[in-house]
Amino acid sequence: MAELIVELEMLFQELGQKHHDPFLDTDGVDPEWPLWYAGWLIDKLTPLLDARFTKSELVYRLVHLSKKQPEEAPDMPWTRYYSRFFARERVGEGTS
């Protein structure tokens, strides 16, 4: 599972940079970021996690994580927090 977490964290770091670039004028601020993130992630997460997601399911997970992280792990980088969530979901109950 540790290897999967590292792969996911690298993917989320790439995602953050890809998203920030088109929003340089607003310093990366985008109130609809979960839609953008889900669109970029869906084809990359599916094979990595051996799972199928709809874009809506992925948006739901991203919004959920953005609300839980400040409570559960405020000092943890978001990339690690999200990676651990998706890795646990993959190893645990699955996402299909």
Side-chain angles (χ1 to χ4, degrees):
M1 184 158 93
E3 188 176 311
L4 178 59
I5 291 171
V6 169
E7 284 184 69
L8 287 167
E9 190 165 5
M10 289 173 27
L11 182 67
F12 284 117
Q13 288 170 354
E14 181 183 358
L15 167 65
Q17 186 58 50
K18 295 274 187 197
H19 179 260
H20 188 80
D21 291 345
F23 293 93
L24 283 176
D25 328 359
T26 61
D27 196 30
V29 175
D30 172 17
E32 297 293 339
W33 68 268
L35 296 170
W36 197 98
Y37 275 40
W40 190 88
L41 276 173
I42 198 154
D43 291 335
K44 293 162 185 63
L45 277 182
T46 298
L48 188 58
L49 298 176
D50 191 27
R52 291 188 315 216
F53 301 99
T54 65
K55 189 174 179 182
S56 297
E57 290 169 329
L58 197 45
V59 167
Y60 171 81
R61 285 176 171 90
L62 293 169
V63 170
H64 172 77
L65 290 171
S66 73
K67 293 184 183 309
K68 296 299 280 184
Q69 185 193 3
E71 301 167 11
E72 294 181 357
D75 297 329
M76 183 182 292
W78 74 269
T79 55
R80 184 163 304 132
Y81 183 80
Y82 285 39
S83 299
R84 287 179 176 184
F85 172 86
F86 280 99
R88 276 193 314 266
E89 199 171 66
R90 165 66 167 92
V91 172
E93 64 191 67
T95 57
S96 320

